[in-house]
Amino acid sequence: MIGGGLAGLAAGVALAESGWRVRLFEQRPFLGGRATSYVLPDGEHVDNCQHVTLGCCTNLDDFYRRVGSTNKVKFFDRLLFLDPQGRRGEMEAGFLPAPFHMTGSFAKFAPLSLADKIAIGRVMLTILRTSGKPSGVDSPAGISMLEWLRQQRQTQRAIDRFWRVVLVSALDEELEQTDARFGIDVFWKAFLCNSRGYRMGVPIVPLAELYDGCRAFIEKKGGEVTLRSPVRAIKFENNCVAAVSFDNNREESADAYVFAVPHDTFAEILPPEIALADPAFRNLDKILDAPITGVHFWFDREVTSEPFITLLDTTVQWVFNKTALFGPTSASSKDGDAKSPTAIAKQYLQLVISASYDLLQKPRQEIIDLCLKEVRQALPAARDANLVKATVIKEAAATFSPQPGVDRWRPTQQTSVNKLYLAGDWTATGWPATMEGAVRSGYLAAEAVTRIAGEPKQFLRPDLGANGFVSLWAKK
């Protein structure tokens, strides 16, 4: 197993559970890949980027169950939105069955006008009637979500304050660069199909702690986990992987090799003659990356009691109250951006900006100033609070970009090369670049390994089924 991110861990745990001896190699000194956390010099735990799950993420839920992390994620039924005018909007399920479970809160959603809501409702009905597969979006080249919404005669406010807000956060890409199939799928699976699909699960521990059980699980089954071990090359013989090479000319061989690394990393270690021989490898450079920026603020007092907030019409998209989620902590500031070096931080907020292309070249302090201004506009209590310290984390390649037609370039987990398997959210999973997609890829890779070995196992969990009235007419 090459790579200790979610995809590699999911494949490794599944195979170890089914009797395989798994040896997992990770180049970093920790597990979790992009969905992990690290410790600042002053002892503060910081997530690389805020990651969440939804009720419709059945395989991620299954993975957490396998490794004993279910109790480390807290689910919320209410989503809060704030616009610059101070209007609040809440989305939560009421007493009505799906697909009408959010009708009450949507009707009272203050940031949208009646015309906006009618337009949105019309599209929701189209998605509902087609079970998430409306005509005109299934061509190999795809159509952008923005183009499709304009075809559906959406108002600009509905696009900006509803469709964009949900989808840029979910898919890490702007609407004009997002395949409509992915965007439609989000609303079908999370908001329409099942009344529990939208519920948001947020880790209540630093992300690295979600994977504490993975290493122990693999080792308990007789496997090994080796950190700080990047693979440098792949050795091929007669269209079969013979070994993988590490530093100091060390080689390791196995009955199967699962590469759960970013697509560009895999392309770099793949010999040119192998890459050119198979379209599944030859087109990896057509899969592009999308960035996410995380901004971390520590204030000298509480500025919000909400666990998380979505901001509208701002650069900052989400505000997560890490103090409330993790439990009260305090740490003396040792950060150079501290406005009061001796102050004690009383509240820690993490801000998230997905598809943050405009921020990649901006200086760190400029990003902090911009986000601080927006937070103080949205949260009145922050206007009198002192910013004790702040830090910015830019992930230029946080996810793959779900551009129209990208599925043409995503390879399956089983390859044309003997013993060579792939895992990663960028492989063909039917899902975009999410933690659910990563786990699905790992399970699919594990299934391929066991199938080729003549002992097929099923690890992939089915999607969250339709409930309420939807189950009466949803297409099978």
Side-chain angles (χ1 to χ4, degrees):
M1 192 71 53
I2 311 302
L6 265 176
L9 291 172
V13 166
L15 287 169
E17 190 173 52
S18 59
W20 286 70
R21 179 173 175 262
V22 173
R23 288 180 293 159
L24 187 150
F25 298 92
E26 164 58 41
Q27 69 171 350
R28 302 185 187 187
F30 50 79
L31 298 175
R34 291 164 294 171
T36 191
S37 56
Y38 61 92
V39 182
L40 294 177
D42 60 8
E44 192 85 49
H45 289 264
V46 174
D47 289 341
N48 197 40
C49 181
Q50 180 66 55
H51 284 70
V52 301
T53 183
L54 294 174
C56 60
C57 296
T58 54
N59 288 277
L60 183 58
D61 179 69
D62 179 74
F63 172 73
Y64 286 151
R65 177 191 60 78
R66 290 176 187 266
V67 300
S69 292
T70 300
N71 62 346
K72 298 177 182 179
V73 177
K74 182 177 180 179
F75 278 85
F76 296 86
D77 297 315
R78 170 178 161 272
L79 309 177
L80 173 64
F81 300 77
L82 291 177
D83 71 10
Q85 292 74 40
R87 289 179 294 225
R88 296 165 59 96
E90 298 181 9
M91 297 295 290
E92 60 182 331
F95 65 91
L96 294 175
F100 308 114
H101 52 292
M102 304 189 85
T103 302
S105 60
F106 182 69
K108 296 183 290 186
F109 196 83
L112 295 173
S113 69
L114 179 60
D116 303 327
K117 294 173 185 176
I118 291 173
I120 293 168
R122 190 169 60 244
V123 174
M124 290 294 194
L125 186 58
T126 296
I127 297 174
L128 182 64
R129 284 173 172 168
T130 60
S131 296
K133 300 185 183 299
S135 61
V137 300
D138 56 355
S139 67
I143 178 178
S144 78
M145 189 66 188
L146 181 61
E147 183 179 351
W148 187 75
L149 289 173
R150 285 175 173 165
Q151 290 178 0
Q152 307 303 311
R153 306 191 311 276
Q154 293 299 284
T155 65
Q156 190 60 48
R157 187 189 293 263
I159 291 174
D160 292 339
R161 292 194 164 190
F162 183 76
W163 300 106
R164 182 182 183 277
V165 168
V166 173
L167 294 179
V168 171
S169 297
L171 304 177
D172 188 28
E173 190 53 278
E174 294 292 347
L175 298 183
E176 61 268 26
Q177 297 295 327
T178 295
D179 196 309
R181 287 176 295 180
F182 292 131
I184 292 166
D185 224 27
V186 168
F187 283 94
W188 167 244
K189 292 177 178 177
F191 291 95
L192 291 173
C193 177
N194 190 296
S195 58
R196 303 189 307 276
Y198 81 100
R199 298 179 69 239
M200 195 163 86
V202 186
I204 56 175
V205 297
L207 286 176
E209 293 186 23
L210 289 177
Y211 317 116
D212 285 348
C214 296
R215 181 169 190 162
F217 187 98
I218 291 172
E219 292 177 343
K220 183 178 179 181
K221 298 292 184 177
E224 303 171 12
V225 175
T226 306
L227 304 177
R228 296 185 175 90
S229 294
V231 167
R232 300 304 185 187
I234 311 172
K235 183 179 180 180
F236 293 89
E237 293 179 359
N238 301 320
N239 196 45
C240 178
V241 179
V244 288
S245 300
F246 297 85
D247 291 333
N248 301 318
N249 298 316
R250 178 169 60 95
E251 287 189 350
E252 298 284 352
S253 59
D255 296 320
Y257 303 80
V258 179
F259 286 82
V261 296
H263 61 90
D264 53 352
T265 300
F266 178 69
E268 287 175 1
I269 60 175
L270 200 63
E273 63 273 16
I274 300 294
L276 293 173
D278 192 330
F281 303 147
R282 192 165 60 238
N283 293 312
L284 292 180
D285 61 345
K286 293 182 172 65
I287 303 175
L288 306 180
D289 294 320
I292 296 178
T293 298
V295 182
H296 303 257
F297 284 165
W298 287 264
F299 289 100
D300 66 348
R301 68 197 72 181
E302 183 181 85
V303 298
T304 180
S305 59
E306 297 289 345
F308 51 83
I309 304 168
T310 304
L311 301 186
L312 305 178
D313 301 339
T314 55
T315 298
V316 174
Q317 296 153 356
W318 287 85
V319 178
F320 288 89
N321 182 350
K322 306 294 276 192
T323 299
L325 292 167
F326 289 174
T329 59
S330 64
S332 299
S333 173
K334 297 180 183 178
D335 191 281
D337 293 313
K339 295 194 175 181
S340 177
T342 59
I344 300 298
K346 297 297 179 61
Q347 187 163 49
Y348 167 29
L349 304 182
Q350 180 171 352
L351 321 178
V352 179
I353 305 103
S354 298
S356 56
Y357 296 98
D358 293 342
L359 301 184
L360 290 180
Q361 302 305 319
K362 288 186 181 294
R364 181 169 173 267
Q365 189 60 49
E366 185 177 340
I367 296 173
I368 290 172
D369 293 342
L370 170 64
C371 294
L372 182 59
K373 180 180 179 180
E374 292 184 349
V375 167
R376 284 177 168 160
Q377 171 67 25
L379 307 176
R383 297 168 193 171
D384 296 324
N386 293 318
L387 184 63
V388 175
K389 64 178 179 178
T391 193
V392 176
I393 300 175
K394 299 178 184 179
E395 281 285 335
T399 69
F400 78 86
S401 175
Q403 301 210 351
V406 70
D407 276 353
R408 292 175 293 176
W409 321 124
R410 299 171 71 184
T412 58
Q413 290 74 32
Q414 181 182 337
T415 75
S416 61
V417 178
N418 294 331
K419 295 188 179 183
L420 175 59
Y421 303 85
L422 300 175
D425 57 10
W426 54 275
T427 62
T429 65
W431 277 62
T434 59
M435 292 198 295
E436 170 72 8
V439 172
R440 282 173 173 259
S441 76
Y443 283 178
L444 288 169
E447 287 183 1
V449 170
T450 60
R451 183 172 60 249
I452 297 303
E455 300 176 350
K457 304 284 186 181
Q458 182 172 349
F459 304 111
L460 194 70
R461 306 298 299 171
D463 285 337
L464 191 66
N467 71 359
F469 292 135
V470 182
S471 61
L472 300 178
W473 70 71
K475 293 180 179 178
K476 304 301 181 184

